[in-house]
Amino acid sequence: MRKKIIAGNWKMNKTPKEAAELIETLKGGINTNMVDVVLCVPYIDIIPAAEALKGTNISLGAQNVYFEESGAYTGEVSPSMLKECGVEYVIAGHSERREYFGETDEIVNKKLKKIIEHGMTPILCCGETLSQRELGVTIEWIRMQIKGALNGIAADDVKNIVIAYEPIWAIGTGKTATSDQAQEVCGQIRQAVRELYGREASQSVRIQYGGSVNASNAAEIFAKEDIDGGLVGGASLKEEFVKIVNY
Ligand code: PGA
């Protein structure tokens, strides 16, 4: 039985002070008995968030990382910096990073390897655009993203990662994929992992759905066979996140 995992992706929201306040509001209500809960906060909020999360079972996540250990990479943050601050999960390859910051599957692959090497868990994002969906190439596209991002990673490591399926047309648009559409792609992702890494890895890997998840659609989506939770953007910045976690 895979444990569900629900992660909040705060994106570029909340100052350090606001981050600590939001965590104070959320943490009392969140029940971590049945699900793993992760908050992926902006870099600068990581230290106050770690402090505010002390004594809870809520895990700390980052939204990005660089794939080098140290050196002349102005503006970047290394895996060991995150690790030292208590980060357990790192989002890699979010569609916004691919679109606005030129992240390719090759870069995502390098990041994944570093995240794993430092004992953290990647949340690998994939997803199609609306025109790809309309063209009928969703599955091929996603398989390619998964194959590229996981290239050279051992099956033993793949089984512990989290994959988030996020159709780009559903992110921040209020337009959620139907639970059947989400299940179809998540099932195909599991199938792709099975072909590449074998049955055991495909049965253990956790696959989230993301894209306009809210308190009213979470339960239906998370009930699907191959969907092991969600990556929640907008609704993770509000008390609604408590309802989503306790769905
Ligand atoms: P959304 O974002 O829930 O606001 O659609 C999801 C995400 O981009 O991770």
Side-chain angles (χ1 to χ4, degrees), residues 6-246:
I6 298 173
N9 174 11
W10 286 9
K11 309 194 179 182
M12 196 175 71
N13 292 291
K14 304 294 171 189
T15 65
K17 187 166 164 274
E18 290 166 349
E21 285 165 5
L22 178 58
I23 291 172
E24 285 310 319
T25 318
L26 298 176
K27 72 180 182 189
I30 284 179
N31 183 340
T32 50
N33 289 339
M34 311 281 284
V35 294
D36 288 336
V37 181
V38 186
L39 298 180
C40 300
V41 305
Y43 282 146
I44 198 164
D45 296 346
I46 286 174
I47 292 173
E51 191 57 38
L53 289 173
K54 268 193 191 140
T56 74
N57 286 322
I58 302 169
S59 299
L60 185 57
Q63 300 170 14
N64 187 27
V65 67
Y66 196 55
F67 52 74
E68 295 290 352
E69 295 293 340
S70 64
Y73 304 101
T74 303
E76 293 298 321
V77 169
S78 76
S80 34
M81 292 173 185
L82 295 181
K83 180 76 183 178
E84 191 180 302
C85 297
V87 168
E88 293 176 69
Y89 293 84
V90 185
I91 298 175
H94 190 281
S95 60
E96 287 151 15
R97 295 219 53 89
R98 295 179 192 255
E99 185 182 346
Y100 307 131
F101 304 98
E103 254 177 47
T104 60
D105 288 334
E106 203 187 333
I107 295 174
V108 175
N109 176 247
K110 286 187 186 173
K111 291 186 174 185
L112 245 61
K113 287 177 176 159
K114 281 293 168 187
I115 295 165
I116 293 168
E117 195 184 304
H118 286 266
M120 298 180 287
T121 303
I123 301 178
L124 163 63
C125 300
C126 59
E128 82 287 4
T129 61
L130 186 58
S131 59
Q132 287 172 323
R133 174 159 284 267
E134 285 167 355
L135 274 170
V137 297
T138 298
I139 304 299
E140 285 156 81
W141 173 253
I142 304 265
R143 288 176 72 98
M144 217 172 65
Q145 285 188 317
I146 297 290
K147 200 169 174 181
L150 297 182
N151 185 28
I153 298 175
D156 260 354
D157 290 324
V158 170
K159 72 177 191 220
N160 296 317
I161 73 167
V162 177
I163 298 176
Y165 165 55
E166 299 201 304
I168 295 170
W169 48 271
I171 295 178
T173 57
K175 218 174 168 190
T176 324
T178 65
S179 55
D180 287 337
Q181 282 174 325
Q183 162 58 31
E184 188 203 353
V185 181
C186 291
Q188 289 287 336
I189 292 173
R190 200 175 300 288
Q191 178 61 30
V193 172
R194 181 173 178 151
E195 286 162 27
L196 294 164
Y197 299 96
R199 190 174 183 281
E200 198 196 333
S202 75
Q203 285 307 309
S204 339
V205 70
R206 292 189 287 180
I207 304 174
Q208 296 174 317
Y209 166 79
S212 300
V213 171
N214 59 42
S216 21
N217 59 29
E220 185 187 333
I221 296 170
F222 299 167
K224 291 290 180 182
E225 188 186 342
D226 288 300
I227 303 180
D228 307 310
L231 183 56
V232 186
S236 72
L237 295 164
K238 305 182 264 187
E239 272 196 78
E240 185 177 2
F241 188 63
V242 174
K243 286 199 192 130
I244 297 174
V245 170
N246 301 344

